[in-house]
Amino acid sequence: MNKVNVVVGQSGGPTAVINSSLYGVIKESFNNTDRIDKVYGMVNGIQGFIEDRYIDIRKEMSDEEIELLKTTPAAYLGSCRYKLPEEFSDSIYPAIFKKFSDLGIGYFIYIGGNDSMDTVHKLSVYAKKTNSSVRIIGIPKTIDNDLTHTDHSPGYGSAAKYVAATVRDIVMDASVYNAESVTIVELMGRHAGWITAASILARKFENDNPALIYLPENEFCLDEFVESVKKEVEKRNTVVVCVSEGIKDKEGKFICEYASESGTDNFGHKMLTGCGKYLENVVKDRLGIKVRSVELNVNQRCKEMLSSLTDINEAVMAGEFGVKACLDGQTGMMVSFKREDKNGYRIDCELTDCADVCNQEKEVPTDWILDSGKGVTQDFVEYVKPLIQGENIPVMEGGLPKYCYRK
Amino acid sequence: MNKVNVVVGQSGGPTAVINSSLYGVIKESFNNTDRIDKVYGMVNGIQGFIEDRYIDIRKEMSDEEIELLKTTPAAYLGSCRYKLPEEFSDSIYPAIFKKFSDLGIGYFIYIGGNDSMDTVHKLSVYAKKTNSSVRIIGIPKTIDNDLTHTDHSPGYGSAAKYVAATVRDIVMDASVYNAESVTIVELMGRHAGWITAASILARKFENDNPALIYLPENEFCLDEFVESVKKEVEKRNTVVVCVSEGIKDKEGKFICEYASESGTDNFGHKMLTGCGKYLENVVKDRLGIKVRSVELNVNQRCKEMLSSLTDINEAVMAGEFGVKACLDGQTGMMVSFKREDKNGYRIDCELTDCADVCNQEKEVPTDWILDSGKGVTQDFVEYVKPLIQGENIPVMEGGLPKYCYRK
């Protein structure tokens, strides 16, 4: 059998573990030297590949650097947001497959979210149309956990762990004074509330904070929110509220859009802020209580020292399984997770047709959201808990984690 | 010799290690059972003590809880912001000393920043005036590192480590796309730039980010800032800028105040934001480059899993030394740090008169700020590096750090 080369790319927003999946792809490829020769990395995903930007992993990376990948945040190869054209008659398709042919690519592995699975799907359809033997496989990656047909996605566990630990610390911080105060924590998730829901894990005892949790899956009513905050303050002095950045009112308008309408400053600069800052100002105005807002921002997807070891291990496993799928002759598929928890939590890898995954979004099921719309159920807690287990102890250097960088 | 009781309190904003100092006070007191009987903890500092809110540590805390103090963020005993009256004729003074007498207090130990040292100073002056034998000692605590007469303060090392590690991760995250972008990170420090300066540690190679660092010690010029950002973007595509929340223009006006003037939303709510968000909108308007701002916020003072082991150990040592100072008959003093680095970094505890410390602020020395006002020197790097060394591995439970809580 002739040996083939692998090309691997990263696409979409970074996560704490997208490089762990890259590590899995590289290691499994190196374990199959009888069938796989070179491993190329696309620089900035398919977009960079089209522009002839790629590296030969074995030449460019030392063994130590490859090991460091497992615990290096963001996207080592660089990422892109690039959508392939809908029309297969577009000249980009033959151009890409010409490059595959020139580089001896047999397996194309793409690590990304639902937009990236669209790329995997299109390339695999084109390959079939043109009788190309190149096998195209997707590895799931998203902090948002919104990919369908998989129990969860690599990247989510670390985001959930970061949110739970950080909201816990914010609750501790908010509780030191003997005075009424409200803290609003704005969390990521434009359309799906998975990340925000994970803040429930910060609640450690009865009547503990976060007292209120608002997901984008439910209509958000400003008056009801103010009333709920007021009631909670009467109960416990210190109130911490977690809100998803994507909360919308009953007209479907994002709450953060109201903030954007707040006008311009004296120099004519338009002020854009998030929903947390907006709600902070509303609470201050209407209730006159001491209030602040905290936006956890990009740290939710890149905080290496707070990532979940379970997530890292599963991300590596997904990368390895992607290579195995190629070796098995599969194409047009995404690696997906099936949960087995009869005898404790266990994840098995499967394959799902990318056509079913791409451009879809999985929301938090209605069953897992409290009827009041202000929290999540114990079933959700049971779902998310295994995903945050285990600590990543990164290699440290001079008091800071040691990462690897592309030269 | 008759045994005395100790009362210990925490005051001002929390840090990652204020409980480590509390641990030091408790352990050293328990080590001296021949001279010390009970250890009382003021709930919410001197304010709570005045209101008769205090606990008997040995009765209320298990051995495990006391151990957990070392790695529990925020203020276990609760904190306060309370200034004692200037007039010693105020009836609060005899009332406090009556309580000392009723509870058999011999040593009063107060963990806090410069406002708290004002409390220590006043109580010790009053004690001398009234021939009271109660000894009053302060333990330094501040993430801002603005206490004078000490090499640095417990709390700063962990804040510096958090900032360095987090800015590093943000730089990684910001660099994944092959496109121009600006990220503005707003860091704590209203009057002193110590925390913001620590972001220099995130810079790992030549021309790496953060490209620009602005401290409140220097005048901030908006036009110069926009021009500098523009130049940096031309050089390296991805630009990360760190700014202190307290940057001011040449009229002495805080930059964040300009944001506050940006008006009200459609419902009449006044929008208040920080300087980072303001600068984000300015860059967007003037340069038209993709830009975002990140405010690290309270996590700078409470992120237990990213705290510095050096900081924790020194905080414990400071607490222990405070008790030793009382046993030695000292009063009206703050524990301070002297650095010895002939044979590697070492800290020795000393005592400094609280009169010299209270209500003072130590800024970053001019020598350590680049003439351009856009960064800090290697001397500062040498100063801060030892403070962030060593990792805190907290006790974990269910994937999250285990803390102790007051019942």
Side-chain angles (χ1 to χ4, degrees), chain B residues 387-401:
Chain B
L387 313 186
I388 70 157
Q389 300 304 311
E391 279 64 60
N392 168 34
I393 311 291
V395 181
M396 301 297 290
E397 191 176 53
L400 295 174

Side-chain angles (χ1 to χ4, degrees), chain A residues 21-140:
Chain A
S21 287
L22 176 59
Y23 171 87
V25 170
I26 294 171
K27 288 305 261 190
E28 188 62 20
S29 298
F30 287 2
N31 282 342
N32 287 279
T33 45
D34 53 328
R35 296 179 59 190
I36 295 172
D37 186 13
K38 289 180 181 165
V39 179
Y40 291 108
M42 310 174 212
V43 173
N44 297 116
I46 186 77
Q47 188 171 22
F49 185 72
I50 290 168
E51 297 162 1
D52 278 325
R53 294 187 290 119
Y54 53 84
I55 59 171
D56 182 334
I57 299 281
R58 221 186 290 255
K59 277 191 191 157
E60 303 266 344
M61 297 186 78
S62 67
D63 288 349
E64 190 207 358
E65 284 173 322
I66 291 172
E67 281 304 313
L68 283 175
L69 268 185
K70 235 190 310 187
T71 54
T72 292
Y76 175 83
L77 292 171
S79 186
C80 70
R81 294 196 176 280
Y82 182 87
K83 207 172 162 75
L84 283 171
E86 300 297 327
E87 312 302 326
F88 288 114
S89 56
D90 194 289
S91 63
I92 199 75
Y93 289 99
I96 291 170
F97 279 77
K98 169 78 165 51
K99 280 184 214 295
F100 288 165
S101 170
D102 292 348
L103 288 170
I105 303 296
Y107 310 149
F108 174 99
I109 300 180
Y110 214 42
I111 314 167
N114 33 29
D115 288 342
S116 312
M117 293 312 137
D118 179 73
T119 299
V120 173
H121 174 62
K122 282 174 177 157
L123 290 178
S124 69
V125 170
Y126 187 85
K128 276 175 205 159
K129 270 183 195 292
T130 55
N131 290 317
S132 161
S133 63
V134 178
R135 291 160 194 170
I136 323 272
I137 290 287
I139 314 289

Side-chain angles (χ1 to χ4, degrees), chain A residues 242-397:
Chain A
C242 291
V243 296
S244 168
E245 60 176 337
I247 47 170
K248 293 187 287 279
D249 65 16
K250 67 174 189 290
E251 280 85 33
K253 185 167 173 176
F254 286 111
I255 299 305
C256 63
E257 291 182 69
Y258 289 103
S260 312
E261 289 166 5
S262 70
T264 52
D265 73 7
N266 297 341
F267 298 95
H269 307 124
K270 191 157 175 61
M271 296 298 293
L272 297 174
T273 64
C275 68
K277 181 56 78 180
Y278 179 73
L279 295 176
E280 172 192 328
N281 288 308
V282 169
V283 169
K284 195 180 293 158
D285 272 15
R286 294 213 201 163
L287 299 180
I289 297 172
K290 188 184 153 205
V291 54
R292 70 178 161 202
S293 63
V294 182
E295 195 185 336
L296 295 199
N297 218 309
V298 296
N299 287 310
Q300 290 164 87
R301 64 180 183 219
C302 66
K303 206 76 218 82
E304 198 56 37
M305 281 179 76
L306 288 168
S307 53
S308 152
L309 190 59
T310 298
D311 192 26
I312 292 178
N313 291 339
E314 290 177 353
V316 171
M317 184 172 74
E320 291 168 345
F321 197 81
V323 175
K324 284 177 192 150
C326 288
L327 290 167
D328 284 351
Q330 300 285 346
T331 190
M333 309 294 267
M334 181 188 84
V335 176
S336 58
F337 286 165
K338 192 179 172 209
R339 184 186 299 223
E340 180 58 73
D341 50 9
K342 263 187 218 121
N343 307 302
Y345 171 82
R346 198 188 80 214
I347 284 297
D348 293 321
C349 286
E350 297 185 324
L351 291 173
T352 300
D353 193 326
C354 272
D356 297 333
V357 177
C358 60
N359 309 315
Q360 303 283 323
E361 279 176 344
K362 182 177 68 177
E363 297 186 342
V364 178
T366 312
D367 284 1
W368 287 359
I369 304 176
L370 295 184
D371 291 339
S372 67
K374 295 183 277 192
V376 291
T377 67
Q378 188 58 30
D379 281 346
F380 172 76
V381 172
E382 301 305 324
Y383 166 80
V384 74
K385 235 179 182 170
L387 313 187
I388 70 157
Q389 300 305 311
E391 281 63 61
N392 168 34
I393 311 292
V395 181
M396 299 298 289
E397 190 177 54

Side-chain angles (χ1 to χ4, degrees), chain A residues 176-189:
Chain A
V176 301
Y177 299 114
N178 185 33
E180 287 183 348
S181 78
V182 176
T183 303
I184 298 163
V185 185
E186 180 185 325
L187 298 164
M188 280 181 166

Side-chain angles (χ1 to χ4, degrees), chain A residues 44 79 161 168-169 173 176 178 261-262 265-266 269-270 272 277-278 281 285 301 303 399 403, chain B residues 44 53 79 161 169 173 176 261 264-266 269-270 272 277-278 281 285 301 303 399 403 405:
Chain A
N44 297 116
S79 186
K161 187 183 183 98
R168 183 71 234 146
D169 286 350
D173 183 86
V176 301
N178 185 33
E261 289 166 5
S262 70
D265 73 7
N266 297 341
H269 307 124
K270 191 157 175 61
L272 297 174
K277 181 56 78 180
Y278 179 73
N281 288 308
D285 272 15
R301 64 180 183 219
K303 206 76 218 82
Y403 298 145
Chain B
N44 296 117
R53 293 188 290 119
S79 186
K161 188 184 182 97
D169 286 350
D173 183 86
V176 301
E261 289 166 6
T264 51
D265 73 7
N266 297 342
H269 308 123
K270 191 159 174 60
L272 297 173
K277 181 55 78 178
Y278 179 73
N281 287 307
D285 271 16
R301 65 181 185 219
K303 207 77 216 78
Y403 299 144
Y405 306 101

Side-chain angles (χ1 to χ4, degrees), chain A residues 208-227:
Chain A
D208 190 17
N209 279 300
L212 304 164
I213 300 172
Y214 292 95
L215 311 188
E217 281 81 356
N218 281 48
E219 259 176 31
F220 184 85
C221 170
L222 199 59
D223 293 331
E224 184 282 325
F225 164 79
V226 173
E227 204 45 47

